[in-house]
Amino acid sequence: MASSSSSSRPRTWRYSVFTSFHGPDVRKTFLSHLRKQFSCNGISMFDDQGIERGQIIKPELTQAIGESRISIVVLSEKYASSRWCLDELVEIFKSKEDLGQIVMAVFYGVDPSDVRKQTGVFGTVFNETCAHKTEEERRTWSQALTDVGNIAGEHFFNWYVCFSLVCLNLRFYFSL
């Protein structure tokens, strides 16, 4: 947990929200609507569109994660197919531990239990991603998935309910 002292200044966050997601699953559907909803409500959200994709997490993403008050992890069936997503998730939990960042989870078409235990289709995808990776990488990613799977998150049933619940939770966190 992040330490604080009465003499230190309150932390200033560059972004209200950082989202971690598997682009092909949610970028043009769920995420575009979430981005629009946040924009209409004055909630700043990091936009990764200008970052070149690669094999390792880019410094810009690591920095954006650390500069965001809240991370929302949108877990979809193929989230674990991306090393990029898994590395982001590890960084998010480092920021939670080191900076006290709030982490929220949205389970978009996946069961939290499958994420937590890496079972079902989600587990199959994760195992394929881990093939030819070190045991340390697999263990680190698995722990991050277990941690995010243990978060009481929102289940995606319909657009309106999910957006309403996410926005309600954000309003609560920003009122603290």
Side-chain angles (χ1 to χ4, degrees):
M1 185 79 188
S3 63
S4 63
S5 69
S6 58
S7 64
S8 65
R9 291 185 317 139
R11 178 159 175 100
T12 302
W13 304 98
R14 183 173 180 192
Y15 305 104
S16 300
V17 174
F18 178 90
T19 51
S20 178
F21 58 91
H22 183 251
D25 290 350
V26 300
R27 185 182 301 279
K28 293 183 179 177
T29 55
F30 179 80
L31 189 72
S32 66
H33 292 283
L34 190 66
R35 188 178 306 281
K36 183 177 179 183
Q37 185 72 26
F38 285 174
S39 178
C40 289
N41 286 286
I43 298 170
S44 63
M45 185 169 140
F46 174 75
D47 187 353
D48 69 344
Q49 290 296 309
I51 298 177
E52 182 181 332
R53 299 295 185 246
Q55 290 298 321
I56 60 169
I57 189 168
K58 297 293 183 183
E60 299 95 334
L61 282 179
T62 302
Q63 182 176 347
I65 291 167
E67 293 177 340
S68 300
R69 182 171 183 192
I70 297 172
S71 279
I72 298 177
V73 182
V74 182
L75 296 143
S76 58
E77 207 170 72
K78 298 229 167 92
Y79 181 90
S81 70
S82 167
R83 177 182 177 153
W84 186 288
C85 289
L86 295 169
D87 287 342
E88 277 181 3
L89 188 60
V90 170
E91 286 298 320
I92 286 167
F93 277 99
K94 284 180 186 174
S95 288
K96 180 181 188 297
E97 180 68 27
D98 298 343
L99 305 173
Q101 183 182 79
I102 297 163
V103 180
M104 296 172 62
V106 173
F107 298 96
Y108 184 86
V110 294
D111 187 308
S113 178
D114 286 341
V115 173
R116 185 172 40 256
K117 298 174 185 173
Q118 292 97 63
T119 56
V121 173
F122 190 90
T124 301
V125 169
F126 177 68
N127 288 328
E128 289 169 2
T129 303
C130 290
H132 312 295
K133 302 296 182 211
T134 67
E135 186 55 37
E136 179 63 20
E137 283 177 302
R138 180 186 189 83
R139 187 198 58 73
T140 301
W141 291 339
S142 179
Q143 184 59 56
L145 289 169
T146 299
D147 292 345
V148 77
N150 282 327
I151 294 173
E154 306 303 335
H155 294 262
F156 180 82
F157 294 114
N158 70 54
W159 296 97
Y160 180 76
V161 171
C162 193
F163 289 134
S164 297
L165 292 172
V166 169
C167 288
L168 181 66
N169 284 331
L170 286 176
R171 280 192 213 116
F172 169 76
Y173 288 126
F174 288 122
S175 69
L176 296 178

